[in-house]
Amino acid sequence: MSRSIGAHTADPCPRCRVEEVRIGIPSSARGRDAVGYRCDRCGHTWSRLLEDDLDVYDTVRVDLPEATIYGTVQQVEDDRVHVRDTDSGQTLWVDLWRVILY
């Protein structure tokens, strides 16, 4: 289960279960666009496929370098998503690979 650490959300490693903030990097997995992650403790690597079925009003988590935000999808384009931050009400465009459907 994820938990808040400062301005970020930490996720557990699937292998060693150590919670850590991992922003991820764009990659490919099995011929599809994905986000790759690596555990600094045990070295395990894994990936998640990019969200390909986002709709307006979906609730999402966005992992940014400076913070993790939770919000609502306002608009979806090919490689970016317009999100309204639940806490501040501000909107921002983010890269699709940073978005996790919640």
Side-chain angles (χ1 to χ4, degrees):
M1 176 164 207
S2 302
R3 67 182 174 98
S4 294
I5 294 180
H8 287 90
T9 297
D11 293 314
C13 168
R15 179 183 287 163
C16 70
R17 307 306 296 168
V18 168
E19 290 185 342
E20 182 178 306
V21 174
R22 299 177 186 89
I23 301 299
I25 56 169
S27 66
S28 291
R30 291 179 238 115
R32 291 194 53 198
D33 290 331
V35 179
Y37 299 93
R38 181 180 187 283
C39 178
D40 290 337
R41 179 171 179 254
C42 72
H44 180 65
T45 59
W46 68 97
S47 63
R48 67 169 174 83
L49 296 177
L50 288 186
E51 305 294 349
D52 60 359
D53 61 348
L54 289 174
D55 287 317
V56 174
Y57 304 121
D58 280 345
T59 301
V60 294
R61 173 177 135 186
V62 181
D63 290 329
L64 300 171
E66 63 276 2
T68 300
I69 65 167
Y70 294 85
T72 306
V73 173
Q74 302 297 297
Q75 185 177 348
V76 180
E77 291 188 357
D78 291 336
D79 61 350
R80 65 185 191 150
V81 180
H82 196 216
V83 177
R84 178 177 305 278
D85 184 339
T86 303
D87 289 334
S88 70
Q90 294 180 335
T91 61
L92 67 153
W93 284 100
V94 295
D95 296 317
L96 177 61
W97 69 269
R98 295 183 180 278
V99 176
I100 300 169
L101 184 62
Y102 233 65

